[in-house]
Amino acid sequence: MAFLCIILFLISFSAPFATASKTAYDILQEYGLPVGLLPKGVESYTFDTSTGKFEVDFADTCSFKIDSYELKYGSKITGVISEDKLSSLSGIKVKVWIFWFSIKQVTRDDNKIEFSVGVGDTDFPVDNFATSPTCGCGFDCVNVVNEDDHFIHNGNYVSAS
């Protein structure tokens, strides 16, 4: 009987941290956010359902451009998720002109996603984030460098040298 009580205690204690078969991308969608807020390549994550605190781990840093903005994801992203909102973010930066700012909050407002750096914000259509960006080329991977150091341009190989 004591063994059963210990098992029940451990299950109830670990329940807020359970992430069973869900992915980090699934969690975003459950909270009304698009999967494209995270780049491809999540290695692992933790999520506390009681507080909304999360941590997402990538194998390495990840950079890409969206319009005129350059984004840089660290190998570890942390924050708090709630309905239509990521707050207390750390690990994501955006380059505006020549300055780098930490993205502090991401909010969904109907069909727009707003990125806030504390002193300013900008928004994009939600549909822009329907798929996850790829490190290096973001959402537009037409011109990428392959392992043979050649560019792929409109399906044709063009030498990079």
Side-chain angles (χ1 to χ4, degrees):
M1 184 66 170
F3 179 73
L4 180 60
C5 289
I6 292 171
I7 295 297
L8 289 174
F9 172 77
L10 291 175
I11 290 171
S12 66
F13 177 74
S14 64
F17 302 99
T19 54
S21 61
K22 294 180 186 175
T23 67
Y25 308 101
D26 294 333
I27 302 295
L28 284 173
Q29 289 182 309
E30 285 180 10
Y31 283 86
L33 298 165
V35 296
L37 293 177
L38 286 175
K40 294 176 184 175
V42 170
E43 295 246 315
S44 64
Y45 76 97
T46 57
F47 174 58
D48 183 337
T49 57
S50 65
T51 63
K53 289 183 180 180
F54 68 87
E55 180 178 301
V56 178
D57 297 304
F58 296 93
D60 203 355
T61 61
C62 176
S63 298
F64 55 90
K65 284 190 172 190
I66 299 177
D67 294 336
S68 62
Y69 301 101
E70 186 175 342
L71 283 142
K72 187 182 296 183
Y73 284 70
S75 58
K76 181 187 292 189
I77 309 301
T78 61
V80 177
I81 191 169
S82 57
E83 191 64 30
D84 295 328
K85 186 179 199 177
L86 297 174
S87 59
S88 302
L89 286 171
S90 70
I92 308 172
K93 294 185 177 192
V94 62
K95 186 177 183 181
V96 181
W97 296 300
I98 60 171
F99 303 103
W100 284 96
F101 296 95
S102 291
I103 295 177
K104 302 289 186 189
Q105 184 171 292
V106 178
T107 307
R108 179 177 183 162
D109 182 15
D110 198 24
N111 290 319
K112 292 186 177 183
I113 292 289
E114 181 180 280
F115 293 84
S116 176
V117 296
V119 296
D121 55 56
T122 191
D123 56 49
F124 297 92
V126 169
D127 292 344
N128 287 8
F129 300 91
T131 61
S132 292
T134 301
C135 296
C137 57
F139 296 105
D140 180 18
C141 296
V142 174
N143 297 315
V144 294
V145 177
N146 71 7
E147 58 273 10
D148 295 326
D149 209 21
H150 292 82
F151 286 101
I152 301 172
H153 179 70
N154 295 333
N156 300 317
Y157 287 98
V158 179
S159 176
S161 36

